[in-house]
Amino acid sequence: MNQTLLQRVLDGDQTAQTQFGEAEHCVVIDWRDGPAEVVEAIAAFLPTGYLALGTLSEQTCELIVQGRPPVLVEISPNAMQEKLLLCISNAIAPEYEIRQYRPMDGDGYSVFVAPQSVWANIESAHPKAVQRLFLSAQRLAAYWSKGYLARVFSKP
């Protein structure tokens, strides 16, 4: 993680905010990515072997987190990525947390993966910037679970 770039992002530097959302700093997930691609992309930002995809079927996938029993996640062809992101975030907690990096909204997501200690530090030093720039997996999943009209009249 590039601490200098992250500090510039939190300080409001527009150029840094654009750079930060790119694939070398955040997990970039395309809207077409399935569970295997999403897990693989997030695993690349964690220590080697920390997160892996176990058995994958049309109905379920298995998340394997180092040193823990596998977590079975229900999926379907029309399942939303937001639910999968929430399940992955819950599986890697409390050591790590994933949050959507909001300035890069579009057809996919930029997701910042960091140890909980990093999140605690930046939240205490820059609470307003964190609230403006990042969205927790819980809030992201809750927002997208609402109906269309409810999303139109609310914010994440």
Side-chain angles (χ1 to χ4, degrees):
M1 172 180 32
N2 184 332
Q3 289 284 356
T4 305
L5 180 61
L6 179 57
Q7 186 60 50
R8 288 178 43 216
V9 166
L10 295 169
D11 289 339
D13 182 323
Q14 295 294 321
T15 303
Q17 289 179 358
T18 301
Q19 290 174 342
F20 188 76
E22 296 172 359
E24 61 198 62
H25 308 289
C26 286
V27 177
V28 177
I29 299 171
D30 187 82
W31 69 273
R32 295 170 292 208
D33 288 347
E37 293 89 359
V38 172
V39 171
E40 182 181 322
I42 291 172
F45 284 80
L46 294 166
T48 304
Y50 188 80
L51 175 68
L53 184 66
T55 320
L56 176 64
S57 72
E58 288 185 23
Q59 311 278 306
T60 61
C61 72
E62 190 178 55
L63 298 176
I64 300 171
V65 178
Q66 194 174 55
R68 298 186 197 160
V71 175
L72 196 60
V73 177
E74 290 185 35
I75 57 170
S76 66
N78 62 350
M80 298 187 322
Q81 285 179 334
E82 297 79 12
K83 180 182 175 190
L84 179 60
L85 290 172
L86 176 60
C87 291
I88 294 170
S89 186
N90 289 340
I92 63 176
E95 291 85 3
Y96 295 92
E97 186 178 347
I98 60 176
R99 296 190 191 187
Q100 177 199 11
Y101 180 61
R102 296 179 71 188
M104 301 305 282
D105 278 345
D107 287 341
Y109 293 115
S110 287
V111 177
F112 183 47
V113 181
Q116 188 59 42
S117 60
V118 170
W119 284 113
N121 288 339
I122 63 175
E123 281 182 327
S124 66
H126 302 279
K128 289 184 181 182
V130 170
Q131 184 177 11
R132 185 179 75 252
L133 298 171
F134 297 98
L135 189 62
S136 71
Q138 292 82 2
R139 287 186 56 209
L140 180 65
Y143 176 73
W144 282 101
S145 69
K146 296 177 183 179
Y148 173 75
L149 286 176
R151 286 194 313 269
V152 168
F153 295 107
S154 67
K155 64 179 187 172

